[in-house]
Each structure stands twice: as structure tokens, then as C-alpha cells.
Amino acid sequence: MSLPADVAQRLGAALMRGCLGACVMMALLSAPAVRAQSAEAFGVHYAPTLNVEGRDLTLNGTGVAYRALVKLYTVGLYLPAKAHQSSEALAQSGPKQLRFVLLRSMRVDEVGKLITRGIEHNSSRQEFFRLIPAIRAMGEQFSRMKRLNAQDVFTIAYMPERGTVFLVNDDPVGAAIADPQFFPAILKVWLGNDPATTDLKNALLDHKAQPVLSALE
């Protein structure tokens, strides 16, 4: 039995609205739960420049790390010059910094595992084994601390004349780790081919996130 024309028209319009709503919902669900976000969105301000060992470093980008929907920390990347590709950031000489502001308390061994796992995922087997002495030195320094608290500032700094230094609230945790390949390996945890999250990598490289609904245009 055929439907009256006006009823069929109203039904068709309702189905179209339902399809559009379903399409929008599918786009929202299929998009990453967390887009590339600046630390400023969470009230954390990073200075546009830092002076390290007499050299000005530029804030390259900032981002926020999540576990599920829980905000863990913000991070700012400081480089001698702006870089929008990982290869550019890694190739630059001079001091560099990854500067974290904790948004919740974290065990220091969590941080150590994150860095170690990230180095392993972004290094060849040979490179990873060569870095084991530096990773052990990092572990020994971290073992002297128990927790990083919300609002603590945790810094991983590279000083060309000294090596990699870990600082909590700008106080060194231990002696510099001299291996010159250690900091680039750490940087790849966030900027490598297998980063902690792609959104955070994009934020640190100051890439602009695409609108969620752009695929529907």
C-alpha cells in the first residue's frame, strides 16, 4: 500500500534528519577523543622564550597528555628555532628543553616507564641497547624521588657541553647524563614515528588540528 504524498514527504525529511544526525555522531565518535590542544586552554602559561646557557630558546608548541579522559600533564617544547617537522627539531644543535607541568600526581616510575617504552618504540634494537647505560642512569636518579605532584614542573634539558639533565621545579635531580644520543632518543618519545600520542606530537610541532566535521563539508 502506497503512502499519501504528504506523509511520504514528511517521513523522507525525518529520515534525512536522522541520517545527518547519525553521520555527525559517527564523525564525533570516530574522531580522536582528544584533539591537539594548547596548554593555555588549561591555564598553564609557558614563556615564549627561555634563556639557557646564554642562548635564547623559542617555545615551539605546547600540548596536553591524557590517560583516557584524565588530564595528566602539559608539556612545552623549547628549541633554538621554530620547527614544524620532527626531523627539523631533532637536527637542531644547541640547548633544548621539554618542560612539563603536572596536572595530577604521578609516580616517578610511571614517568621512567613512559620514557623507556617510548625510546624502545622509536629506536632500532641496536640503538636501544646502546642507550641502556643512559637509561639505567636515569632510573637511578628517578629512584631518589617517589612522586611528582600536581603543579610540579618537571624539565628534561639538553645542554650541549654537559648532556641531559632532569630537573624538578628547576632543581637538578642528579648529574648530567653525558651520552649525546640520549636526549634525541627522549625527544622521539613525543616527536618520533611512534609518539606518545599523535595529537600531542602535532601540538608540540604547532600543527593546527582539523575541524572534526571537515569530512562532512
mmCIF file of all heavy atoms in Angstrom, residues 84-116:
data_model
loop_
_atom_site.group_PDB
_atom_site.id
_atom_site.type_symbol
_atom_site.label_atom_id
_atom_site.label_comp_id
_atom_site.label_asym_id
_atom_site.label_seq_id
_atom_site.Cartn_x
_atom_site.Cartn_y
_atom_site.Cartn_z
ATOM 1 N N HIS A 84 58.571 22.706 12.410
ATOM 2 C CA HIS A 84 57.249 22.122 12.223
ATOM 3 C C HIS A 84 57.328 20.665 11.772
ATOM 4 O O HIS A 84 56.298 20.046 11.499
ATOM 5 C CB HIS A 84 56.448 22.947 11.216
ATOM 6 C CG HIS A 84 56.214 24.356 11.678
ATOM 7 N ND1 HIS A 84 55.417 24.662 12.763
ATOM 8 C CD2 HIS A 84 56.698 25.541 11.222
ATOM 9 C CE1 HIS A 84 55.394 25.970 12.947
ATOM 10 N NE2 HIS A 84 56.178 26.526 12.032
ATOM 11 N N GLN A 85 58.543 20.138 11.692
ATOM 12 C CA GLN A 85 58.754 18.729 11.387
ATOM 13 C C GLN A 85 59.675 18.133 12.444
ATOM 14 O O GLN A 85 60.597 18.802 12.921
ATOM 15 C CB GLN A 85 59.387 18.551 9.997
ATOM 16 C CG GLN A 85 58.550 19.106 8.851
ATOM 17 C CD GLN A 85 57.245 18.350 8.662
ATOM 18 O OE1 GLN A 85 57.180 17.142 8.927
ATOM 19 N NE2 GLN A 85 56.216 19.039 8.203
ATOM 20 N N SER A 86 59.440 16.870 12.790
ATOM 21 C CA SER A 86 60.292 16.207 13.787
ATOM 22 C C SER A 86 61.757 16.232 13.376
ATOM 23 O O SER A 86 62.641 16.470 14.206
ATOM 24 C CB SER A 86 59.840 14.759 13.980
ATOM 25 O OG SER A 86 58.524 14.708 14.452
ATOM 26 N N SER A 87 62.013 15.986 12.091
ATOM 27 C CA SER A 87 63.397 15.943 11.609
ATOM 28 C C SER A 87 64.099 17.283 11.831
ATOM 29 O O SER A 87 65.283 17.326 12.177
ATOM 30 C CB SER A 87 63.434 15.568 10.127
ATOM 31 O OG SER A 87 62.643 16.462 9.358
ATOM 32 N N GLU A 88 63.372 18.398 11.658
ATOM 33 C CA GLU A 88 63.951 19.716 11.881
ATOM 34 C C GLU A 88 64.291 19.912 13.359
ATOM 35 O O GLU A 88 65.352 20.438 13.705
ATOM 36 C CB GLU A 88 62.965 20.809 11.441
ATOM 37 C CG GLU A 88 62.648 20.820 9.960
ATOM 38 C CD GLU A 88 61.526 21.790 9.632
ATOM 39 O OE1 GLU A 88 61.077 22.528 10.546
ATOM 40 O OE2 GLU A 88 61.090 21.820 8.474
ATOM 41 N N ALA A 89 63.380 19.514 14.233
ATOM 42 C CA ALA A 89 63.609 19.667 15.671
ATOM 43 C C ALA A 89 64.805 18.830 16.124
ATOM 44 O O ALA A 89 65.647 19.289 16.902
ATOM 45 C CB ALA A 89 62.356 19.257 16.441
ATOM 46 N N LEU A 90 64.893 17.602 15.631
ATOM 47 C CA LEU A 90 65.977 16.709 16.044
ATOM 48 C C LEU A 90 67.327 17.152 15.498
ATOM 49 O O LEU A 90 68.361 16.926 16.133
ATOM 50 C CB LEU A 90 65.666 15.286 15.579
ATOM 51 C CG LEU A 90 64.501 14.598 16.300
ATOM 52 C CD1 LEU A 90 63.992 13.402 15.505
ATOM 53 C CD2 LEU A 90 64.926 14.170 17.695
ATOM 54 N N ALA A 91 67.320 17.802 14.334
ATOM 55 C CA ALA A 91 68.589 18.183 13.696
ATOM 56 C C ALA A 91 69.211 19.432 14.294
ATOM 57 O O ALA A 91 70.401 19.684 14.088
ATOM 58 C CB ALA A 91 68.351 18.391 12.195
ATOM 59 N N GLN A 92 68.442 20.207 15.037
ATOM 60 C CA GLN A 92 68.972 21.465 15.555
ATOM 61 C C GLN A 92 70.036 21.217 16.625
ATOM 62 O O GLN A 92 69.884 20.345 17.477
ATOM 63 C CB GLN A 92 67.844 22.316 16.149
ATOM 64 C CG GLN A 92 66.906 22.876 15.107
ATOM 65 C CD GLN A 92 65.869 23.805 15.715
ATOM 66 O OE1 GLN A 92 66.108 24.442 16.732
ATOM 67 N NE2 GLN A 92 64.705 23.884 15.083
ATOM 68 N N SER A 93 71.098 22.010 16.562
ATOM 69 C CA SER A 93 72.130 21.950 17.589
ATOM 70 C C SER A 93 71.802 22.976 18.670
ATOM 71 O O SER A 93 70.915 23.805 18.498
ATOM 72 C CB SER A 93 73.502 22.247 16.980
ATOM 73 O OG SER A 93 73.500 23.536 16.380
ATOM 74 N N GLY A 94 72.515 22.894 19.774
ATOM 75 C CA GLY A 94 72.283 23.845 20.852
ATOM 76 C C GLY A 94 71.365 23.273 21.917
ATOM 77 O O GLY A 94 70.860 22.152 21.816
ATOM 78 N N PRO A 95 71.134 24.043 22.987
ATOM 79 C CA PRO A 95 70.275 23.565 24.082
ATOM 80 C C PRO A 95 68.834 23.372 23.627
ATOM 81 O O PRO A 95 68.368 24.036 22.691
ATOM 82 C CB PRO A 95 70.376 24.675 25.139
ATOM 83 C CG PRO A 95 71.129 25.798 24.530
ATOM 84 C CD PRO A 95 71.679 25.367 23.218
ATOM 85 N N LYS A 96 68.140 22.471 24.298
ATOM 86 C CA LYS A 96 66.722 22.205 24.047
ATOM 87 C C LYS A 96 66.085 21.818 25.385
ATOM 88 O O LYS A 96 66.772 21.361 26.295
ATOM 89 C CB LYS A 96 66.539 21.064 23.042
ATOM 90 C CG LYS A 96 67.179 21.286 21.682
ATOM 91 C CD LYS A 96 67.134 20.031 20.824
ATOM 92 C CE LYS A 96 67.960 20.197 19.558
ATOM 93 N NZ LYS A 96 68.091 18.944 18.792
ATOM 94 N N GLN A 97 64.786 21.991 25.440
ATOM 95 C CA GLN A 97 64.077 21.620 26.668
ATOM 96 C C GLN A 97 62.695 21.066 26.365
ATOM 97 O O GLN A 97 61.999 21.554 25.478
ATOM 98 C CB GLN A 97 63.889 22.823 27.606
ATOM 99 C CG GLN A 97 65.069 23.145 28.479
ATOM 100 C CD GLN A 97 64.698 24.083 29.634
ATOM 101 O OE1 GLN A 97 63.520 24.309 29.928
ATOM 102 N NE2 GLN A 97 65.708 24.631 30.281
ATOM 103 N N LEU A 98 62.323 20.046 27.130
ATOM 104 C CA LEU A 98 60.937 19.617 27.272
ATOM 105 C C LEU A 98 60.538 19.998 28.694
ATOM 106 O O LEU A 98 61.164 19.550 29.664
ATOM 107 C CB LEU A 98 60.795 18.111 27.076
ATOM 108 C CG LEU A 98 60.858 17.584 25.646
ATOM 109 C CD1 LEU A 98 61.095 16.080 25.643
ATOM 110 C CD2 LEU A 98 59.581 17.925 24.881
ATOM 111 N N ARG A 99 59.525 20.833 28.814
ATOM 112 C CA ARG A 99 59.139 21.366 30.128
ATOM 113 C C ARG A 99 57.700 20.949 30.432
ATOM 114 O O ARG A 99 56.774 21.340 29.723
ATOM 115 C CB ARG A 99 59.297 22.879 30.128
ATOM 116 C CG ARG A 99 59.256 23.538 31.498
ATOM 117 C CD ARG A 99 59.691 25.003 31.373
ATOM 118 N NE ARG A 99 59.701 25.683 32.652
ATOM 119 C CZ ARG A 99 60.729 25.709 33.490
ATOM 120 N NH1 ARG A 99 61.855 25.086 33.154
ATOM 121 N NH2 ARG A 99 60.665 26.341 34.634
ATOM 122 N N PHE A 100 57.530 20.135 31.461
ATOM 123 C CA PHE A 100 56.229 19.566 31.816
ATOM 124 C C PHE A 100 55.665 20.260 33.056
ATOM 125 O O PHE A 100 56.401 20.542 34.000
ATOM 126 C CB PHE A 100 56.362 18.068 32.132
ATOM 127 C CG PHE A 100 56.963 17.247 31.023
ATOM 128 C CD1 PHE A 100 58.342 17.213 30.835
ATOM 129 C CD2 PHE A 100 56.165 16.506 30.169
ATOM 130 C CE1 PHE A 100 58.907 16.453 29.817
ATOM 131 C CE2 PHE A 100 56.724 15.754 29.146
ATOM 132 C CZ PHE A 100 58.097 15.724 28.978
ATOM 133 N N VAL A 101 54.368 20.486 33.051
ATOM 134 C CA VAL A 101 53.668 20.925 34.262
ATOM 135 C C VAL A 101 52.626 19.860 34.582
ATOM 136 O O VAL A 101 51.744 19.570 33.750
ATOM 137 C CB VAL A 101 52.996 22.303 34.087
ATOM 138 C CG1 VAL A 101 52.226 22.672 35.351
ATOM 139 C CG2 VAL A 101 54.044 23.375 33.780
ATOM 140 N N LEU A 102 52.733 19.235 35.740
ATOM 141 C CA LEU A 102 51.852 18.143 36.121
ATOM 142 C C LEU A 102 50.450 18.662 36.430
ATOM 143 O O LEU A 102 50.302 19.665 37.142
ATOM 144 C CB LEU A 102 52.402 17.394 37.336
ATOM 145 C CG LEU A 102 53.476 16.321 37.085
ATOM 146 C CD1 LEU A 102 52.904 15.133 36.353
ATOM 147 C CD2 LEU A 102 54.667 16.886 36.354
ATOM 148 N N LEU A 103 49.436 18.000 35.914
ATOM 149 C CA LEU A 103 48.047 18.340 36.211
ATOM 150 C C LEU A 103 47.456 17.403 37.248
ATOM 151 O O LEU A 103 46.369 17.654 37.765
ATOM 152 C CB LEU A 103 47.215 18.299 34.931
ATOM 153 C CG LEU A 103 47.645 19.307 33.852
ATOM 154 C CD1 LEU A 103 46.817 19.111 32.596
ATOM 155 C CD2 LEU A 103 47.539 20.741 34.353
ATOM 156 N N ARG A 104 48.160 16.326 37.526
ATOM 157 C CA ARG A 104 47.775 15.408 38.602
ATOM 158 C C ARG A 104 49.043 14.742 39.118
ATOM 159 O O ARG A 104 50.078 14.741 38.450
ATOM 160 C CB ARG A 104 46.787 14.337 38.112
ATOM 161 C CG ARG A 104 47.365 13.392 37.077
ATOM 162 C CD ARG A 104 46.370 12.332 36.625
ATOM 163 N NE ARG A 104 46.084 11.363 37.646
ATOM 164 C CZ ARG A 104 46.823 10.271 37.898
ATOM 165 N NH1 ARG A 104 47.923 10.028 37.178
ATOM 166 N NH2 ARG A 104 46.487 9.435 38.832
ATOM 167 N N SER A 105 48.957 14.184 40.306
ATOM 168 C CA SER A 105 50.108 13.500 40.889
ATOM 169 C C SER A 105 50.440 12.248 40.080
ATOM 170 O O SER A 105 49.543 11.538 39.621
ATOM 171 C CB SER A 105 49.794 13.127 42.337
ATOM 172 O OG SER A 105 50.868 12.449 42.931
ATOM 173 N N MET A 106 51.738 12.013 39.875
ATOM 174 C CA MET A 106 52.196 10.815 39.159
ATOM 175 C C MET A 106 53.382 10.211 39.883
ATOM 176 O O MET A 106 54.220 10.946 40.424
ATOM 177 C CB MET A 106 52.626 11.169 37.728
ATOM 178 C CG MET A 106 51.516 11.545 36.788
ATOM 179 S SD MET A 106 52.154 11.915 35.115
ATOM 180 C CE MET A 106 52.709 10.287 34.575
ATOM 181 N N ARG A 107 53.454 8.891 39.897
ATOM 182 C CA ARG A 107 54.642 8.232 40.423
ATOM 183 C C ARG A 107 55.794 8.446 39.450
ATOM 184 O O ARG A 107 55.610 8.431 38.235
ATOM 185 C CB ARG A 107 54.405 6.737 40.620
ATOM 186 C CG ARG A 107 53.354 6.391 41.645
ATOM 187 C CD ARG A 107 53.472 4.930 42.102
ATOM 188 N NE ARG A 107 53.696 4.029 40.992
ATOM 189 C CZ ARG A 107 52.716 3.441 40.298
ATOM 190 N NH1 ARG A 107 51.452 3.688 40.584
ATOM 191 N NH2 ARG A 107 52.991 2.614 39.315
ATOM 192 N N VAL A 108 56.987 8.634 39.997
ATOM 193 C CA VAL A 108 58.142 8.878 39.137
ATOM 194 C C VAL A 108 58.446 7.650 38.291
ATOM 195 O O VAL A 108 58.892 7.777 37.146
ATOM 196 C CB VAL A 108 59.365 9.296 39.985
ATOM 197 C CG1 VAL A 108 60.589 9.472 39.104
ATOM 198 C CG2 VAL A 108 59.073 10.594 40.716
ATOM 199 N N ASP A 109 58.173 6.456 38.812
ATOM 200 C CA ASP A 109 58.441 5.271 37.998
ATOM 201 C C ASP A 109 57.512 5.212 36.785
ATOM 202 O O ASP A 109 57.870 4.647 35.751
ATOM 203 C CB ASP A 109 58.359 3.993 38.840
ATOM 204 C CG ASP A 109 56.958 3.713 39.376
ATOM 205 O OD1 ASP A 109 56.213 4.683 39.639
ATOM 206 O OD2 ASP A 109 56.619 2.539 39.560
ATOM 207 N N GLU A 110 56.310 5.820 36.864
ATOM 208 C CA GLU A 110 55.445 5.919 35.690
ATOM 209 C C GLU A 110 56.122 6.730 34.594
ATOM 210 O O GLU A 110 56.070 6.382 33.414
ATOM 211 C CB GLU A 110 54.123 6.600 36.056
ATOM 212 C CG GLU A 110 53.144 5.771 36.847
ATOM 213 C CD GLU A 110 51.836 6.526 37.042
ATOM 214 O OE1 GLU A 110 50.988 6.448 36.140
ATOM 215 O OE2 GLU A 110 51.679 7.201 38.065
ATOM 216 N N VAL A 111 56.740 7.839 35.018
ATOM 217 C CA VAL A 111 57.441 8.710 34.058
ATOM 218 C C VAL A 111 58.608 7.951 33.435
ATOM 219 O O VAL A 111 58.828 7.989 32.226
ATOM 220 C CB VAL A 111 57.927 9.999 34.743
ATOM 221 C CG1 VAL A 111 58.664 10.885 33.756
ATOM 222 C CG2 VAL A 111 56.754 10.753 35.364
ATOM 223 N N GLY A 112 59.369 7.244 34.274
ATOM 224 C CA GLY A 112 60.508 6.473 33.780
ATOM 225 C C GLY A 112 60.091 5.397 32.787
ATOM 226 O O GLY A 112 60.743 5.205 31.753
ATOM 227 N N LYS A 113 58.976 4.713 33.081
ATOM 228 C CA LYS A 113 58.483 3.669 32.164
ATOM 229 C C LYS A 113 58.022 4.274 30.847
ATOM 230 O O LYS A 113 58.258 3.708 29.774
ATOM 231 C CB LYS A 113 57.343 2.898 32.829
ATOM 232 C CG LYS A 113 57.798 1.951 33.932
ATOM 233 C CD LYS A 113 56.611 1.312 34.619
ATOM 234 C CE LYS A 113 57.061 0.418 35.780
ATOM 235 N NZ LYS A 113 55.901 -0.142 36.518
ATOM 236 N N LEU A 114 57.338 5.429 30.933
ATOM 237 C CA LEU A 114 56.882 6.102 29.716
ATOM 238 C C LEU A 114 58.059 6.451 28.815
ATOM 239 O O LEU A 114 58.030 6.200 27.604
ATOM 240 C CB LEU A 114 56.121 7.379 30.098
ATOM 241 C CG LEU A 114 55.802 8.343 28.951
ATOM 242 C CD1 LEU A 114 54.808 7.718 27.981
ATOM 243 C CD2 LEU A 114 55.264 9.667 29.487
ATOM 244 N N ILE A 115 59.109 7.009 29.404
ATOM 245 C CA ILE A 115 60.281 7.398 28.617
ATOM 246 C C ILE A 115 60.983 6.168 28.051
ATOM 247 O O ILE A 115 61.322 6.122 26.860
ATOM 248 C CB ILE A 115 61.256 8.237 29.470
ATOM 249 C CG1 ILE A 115 60.590 9.576 29.843
ATOM 250 C CG2 ILE A 115 62.562 8.488 28.723
ATOM 251 C CD1 ILE A 115 61.401 10.406 30.824
ATOM 252 N N THR A 116 61.195 5.159 28.883
ATOM 253 C CA THR A 116 61.902 3.950 28.441
ATOM 254 C C THR A 116 61.148 3.247 27.319
ATOM 255 O O THR A 116 61.732 2.852 26.300
ATOM 256 C CB THR A 116 62.117 2.986 29.617
ATOM 257 O OG1 THR A 116 62.854 3.655 30.635
ATOM 258 C CG2 THR A 116 62.888 1.751 29.178
#
